[in-house]
Amino acid sequence: MNTNNTFSERLRELRQQSKLLQKDLAKMLGYTQAYISAWERGLKEPDIKSILQLCKILQTSADYLLGNTDFE
């Protein structure tokens, strides 16, 4: 399993489940919408601080978000 693809897919799914637009998530994290889009397309990867912030916002674990487990 490609962890980067898993991260991208799970980020998009969790963001949509949370009813957040890319621009909403970007604003919460201090990034641009284009940056979030790049994460969701697998073109860029977030740093550890951003991953931790994503987990809080999306109410999930880093292991799930990164594809290390199938359980949130």
Side-chain angles (χ1 to χ4, degrees):
M1 179 183 295
N2 184 326
T3 303
N4 190 41
N5 284 343
T6 301
F7 167 77
S8 299
E9 291 169 7
R10 290 186 176 177
L11 174 59
R12 183 180 312 107
E13 290 170 9
L14 291 167
R15 178 184 56 76
Q16 290 172 342
Q17 286 174 8
S18 298
K19 298 188 181 354
L20 292 170
L21 299 174
Q22 287 181 346
K23 68 179 183 177
D24 299 329
L25 186 56
K27 186 174 183 178
M28 296 169 94
L29 294 168
Y31 288 110
T32 63
Q33 181 271 329
Y35 215 82
I36 303 303
S37 175
W39 287 351
E40 290 187 2
R41 291 182 292 141
L43 302 176
K44 293 186 184 261
E45 295 179 354
D47 59 18
I48 292 173
K49 180 181 175 187
S50 297
I51 291 170
L52 294 174
Q53 289 175 308
L54 284 168
C55 291
K56 285 183 180 182
I57 292 167
L58 300 173
Q59 299 179 351
T60 193
S61 70
D63 280 335
Y64 179 78
L65 187 59
L66 297 173
N68 293 330
T69 184
D70 288 332
F71 304 103
E72 287 186 62

